[in-house]
Amino acid sequence: LKAEYHRLTRAHGDHALASAKDEICGNCFTLLSPQTMNELKMSQVVFCKSCGCMLYLPEDQSVGQVESQP
């Protein structure tokens, strides 16, 4: 994982990591699939299929958080 992270930061610089807030890649604004979101919620390493950046869940959407109902 460390080698992959270093490869991404060399290639993408500041855009190597992106938030997956609201099921959208924070780098390229592509809608993420439900499968991608499930993998993130299971703490797997996931890359955006569109731009290649490593995705992460923001703290307010992290594993174990209960979504509030409007």
Side-chain angles (χ1 to χ4, degrees):
L1 184 60
K2 185 177 177 181
E4 188 68 22
Y5 173 76
H6 287 298
R7 182 189 69 76
L8 282 172
T9 54
R10 280 192 303 272
H12 297 285
D14 292 341
H15 300 287
L17 297 175
S19 167
K21 186 172 181 156
D22 298 325
E23 300 181 11
I24 295 174
C25 174
N27 188 40
C28 67
F29 307 107
T30 301
L31 183 64
L32 302 170
S33 71
Q35 181 63 35
T36 298
M37 293 306 297
N38 284 336
E39 291 170 356
L40 279 170
K41 290 175 184 175
M42 292 175 14
S43 300
Q44 295 180 5
V45 178
V46 179
F47 299 94
C48 176
K49 290 176 178 42
S50 181
C51 68
C53 66
M54 188 182 295
L55 297 169
Y56 67 90
L57 284 175
E59 286 185 15
D60 62 344
Q61 290 184 338
S62 63
V63 176
Q65 291 286 88
V66 178
E67 294 183 20
S68 60
Q69 298 294 325

